Amino acid sequence: MKRLLLLSLLFLFSTHSIANEQIRLYKQYVVGMPKAFLQKAHTLEDCSARYEQGTLCLAQHSLAGETAELAFRFLNDRLVSTVLMMPLTDVSKVKKMFHALKTQFDLVLIEDGADKFDILEVSTNTFNKDEFTKMIADFENEAYQKHSIKYTFISKEAFVTQSRKSRQFADIFKDAPLSMRAATYNVGRKDGQVVGTITFIVPGITEEYLDQNPIVEDF
């Protein structure tokens, strides 16, 4: 931890020019952080076989008191996404992870395979709050019986603006601010075990943005 703190300080002081505010993906990890910087801060392993080519993983990580694997995804050796994966041995862990996400994000979509529950669209057409809550609960209960559900969230600071101009999930990312964070939480089976996967992304990040907003020029 001390080593990570020292590297973080070096990282801050060595940044010469950042056109926009740094975009935090998860905890201290920000968009554009160089792969080499993370490799100095942590002992990472190649986990391309479990995720996508070029992904590096930190095996022991803690989220809300639960042990998880933390994966880093890169574009041209610069961080663009983080992934957390953990076994879910009981329903309380599912709820704990969900509530941890809800503190910083707002729910916009629930999926069960091909079936979708569009929060924005349904809430627009449902005026009874109790009925709306029951519809969500019924959808979740059916999905959990199959251990297959996916939640999509967007950052709270962007939710108010984006939800006002969007009547359905498909519109939520249209003209969205570049810094808007999104998260997905998947609950599914893997090798006979129920596993939860949380992915943090910034949908609008492009290679051009990374080129124009270097996090570290020299370290």
Side-chain angles (χ1 to χ4, degrees), residues 145-192:
Q145 287 177 13
K146 296 179 287 185
H147 299 292
S148 174
I149 193 165
K150 176 181 177 181
Y151 298 98
T152 299
F153 304 82
I154 62 169
S155 48
K156 285 187 178 293
E157 62 267 24
F159 178 76
V160 175
T161 301
Q162 293 306 109
S163 61
R164 281 175 179 168
K165 64 181 184 179
S166 305
R167 297 182 64 86
Q168 57 184 1
F169 172 76
D171 299 329
I172 202 77
F173 296 118
K174 290 181 179 178
D175 301 319
L178 185 64
S179 61
M180 186 178 80
R181 290 190 301 154
T184 60
Y185 179 25
N186 289 272
V187 176
R189 287 191 178 276
K190 184 178 178 65
D191 300 326

Side-chain angles (χ1 to χ4, degrees), residues 54-72:
T55 302
L56 298 178
C57 284
L58 177 64
Q60 294 296 319
H61 180 74
S62 179
L63 173 65
E66 305 293 346
T67 300
E69 178 179 76
L70 176 59
F72 302 99

Side-chain angles (χ1 to χ4, degrees), residues 113-172:
D115 297 325
K116 300 180 186 296
F117 190 97
D118 190 324
I119 299 291
L120 298 179
E121 184 177 28
V122 176
S123 63
T124 298
N125 299 306
T126 306
F127 300 101
N128 185 305
K129 184 177 179 180
D130 291 336
E131 180 185 354
F132 179 60
T133 302
K134 184 179 183 303
M135 291 170 70
I136 292 178
D138 289 344
F139 188 94
E140 287 182 306
N141 288 335
E142 186 173 338
Y144 278 129
Q145 287 177 13
K146 296 179 287 185
H147 299 292
S148 174
I149 193 165
K150 176 181 177 181
Y151 298 98
T152 299
F153 304 82
I154 62 169
S155 48
K156 285 187 178 293
E157 62 267 24
F159 178 76
V160 175
T161 301
Q162 293 306 109
S163 61
R164 281 175 179 168
K165 64 181 184 179
S166 305
R167 297 182 64 86
Q168 57 184 1
F169 172 76
D171 299 329
I172 202 77

Side-chain angles (χ1 to χ4, degrees), residues 7-20 22 30 34 37 213-219:
L7 284 169
S8 296
L9 291 173
L10 291 172
F11 153 84
L12 290 173
F13 285 121
S14 61
T15 301
H16 299 302
S17 61
I18 300 178
N20 296 304
Q22 292 177 2
V30 299
F37 176 83
N213 297 273
I215 293 297
V216 176
E217 293 180 3
D218 185 26
F219 60 90

Side-chain angles (χ1 to χ4, degrees), residues 38-109:
L38 288 168
Q39 289 174 313
K40 282 191 174 183
H42 302 300
T43 300
L44 302 175
E45 63 172 341
D46 188 302
C47 50
S48 301
R50 295 194 295 279
Y51 298 99
E52 64 183 34
Q53 189 63 35
T55 302
L56 298 178
C57 284
L58 177 64
Q60 294 296 319
H61 180 74
S62 179
L63 173 65
E66 305 293 346
T67 300
E69 178 179 76
L70 176 59
F72 302 99
R73 289 172 170 164
F74 304 90
L75 175 62
N76 290 345
D77 292 338
R78 290 169 292 186
L79 185 66
V80 291
S81 176
T82 59
V83 183
L84 286 148
M85 187 170 74
M86 71 217 77
L88 300 172
T89 54
D90 53 62
V91 176
S92 66
K93 284 190 176 184
V94 178
K95 292 181 178 178
K96 182 185 286 189
M97 296 303 105
F98 183 85
H99 287 300
L101 282 166
K102 282 289 291 178
T103 60
Q104 295 187 55
F105 295 85
D106 277 294
L107 184 62
V108 289
L109 182 72

